[in-house]
Amino acid sequence: KARALAQKWMDWQLTVMGPAITPVSWQLIRTPADQRDQNAIHLGNERTIAAAMIMDAQLGRSAFMASDTFSYGDIPLGIMIYRYVQLIPERPATPNLDRWYAAISARAAFRQQVSAVLVDPGDMRTRMHQEAFAGEDISDRPLPEVTVPFWNWLFDQQRDDIAEPGE
């Protein structure tokens, strides 16, 4: 039963939480500020908050999403809530979700693998990308030589060395 419940929450992440927050992350991270669709951001925020409220209600019934013990069902949702916390600063109180997220985000694997990077490096002009977009002109994408130095620099920074938005 526990595995079935964990799978249920993984599916829910794919069909509810992921589609809700993806437009927010694409607009705020991958879209230049002057080209952002504020309506898409607003709608994504609303849908993501509604999904977070569903999680909060579930977490009022159990310590973790599928039961009172951590399971693989918590992992993909932990990633989504990391995005939620980072991208939607104005959100309603969710004490159960906050308790769960504090437990999830305190795990070493979370700190090493999830909170290490929020950004998507975006498309690059590589053979693999061209194969994925066969028949399309991808010459407008940057070459890896252009973007890799930035990513190397970013990964070498300590979290405290990177200014938070608005600082």
Side-chain angles (χ1 to χ4, degrees):
K1 181 178 176 181
R3 289 193 334 204
L5 289 173
Q7 185 64 47
K8 172 184 117 172
W9 286 107
M10 289 178 69
D11 291 345
W12 185 86
Q13 179 273 147
L14 286 171
T15 59
V16 178
M17 179 58 87
I21 200 159
T22 295
V24 178
S25 105
W26 273 74
Q27 290 296 317
L28 295 177
I29 294 174
R30 298 210 40 192
T31 305
D34 62 335
Q35 297 175 21
R36 290 181 183 154
D37 181 343
Q38 296 302 319
N39 290 331
I41 294 169
H42 179 73
L43 184 59
N45 285 351
E46 286 182 348
R47 289 178 176 165
T48 304
I49 288 168
M53 299 302 283
I54 291 169
M55 288 180 65
D56 187 67
Q58 170 60 29
L59 291 163
R61 295 186 284 275
S62 59
F64 293 92
M65 292 306 297
S67 68
D68 283 328
T69 58
F70 178 79
S71 74
Y72 62 87
D74 294 291
I75 297 169
L77 285 166
I79 295 166
M80 294 294 111
I81 296 303
Y82 176 74
R83 289 181 182 173
Y84 174 65
V85 167
Q86 299 297 316
L87 297 175
I88 304 176
E90 295 178 15
R91 50 189 186 274
T94 49
N96 302 311
L97 181 65
D98 295 346
R99 172 202 39 82
W100 172 84
Y101 183 69
I104 295 289
S105 63
R107 300 174 74 89
F110 185 96
R111 290 191 314 274
Q112 293 165 1
Q113 302 298 322
V114 177
S115 65
V117 178
L118 172 65
V119 297
D120 177 343
D123 299 341
M124 285 188 254
R125 195 176 343 152
T126 63
R127 180 180 49 79
M128 182 187 298
H129 194 76
Q130 182 62 71
E131 289 171 0
F133 292 89
E136 291 185 32
D137 178 16
I138 65 163
S139 63
D140 61 327
R141 276 83 166 184
L143 291 167
E145 304 83 70
V146 173
T147 60
V148 168
F150 167 74
W151 295 108
N152 287 337
W153 170 84
L154 181 64
F155 294 140
D156 287 341
Q157 303 305 302
Q158 295 297 317
R159 192 166 177 89
D160 295 339
D161 294 341
I162 302 172
E164 292 295 322
E167 285 186 354

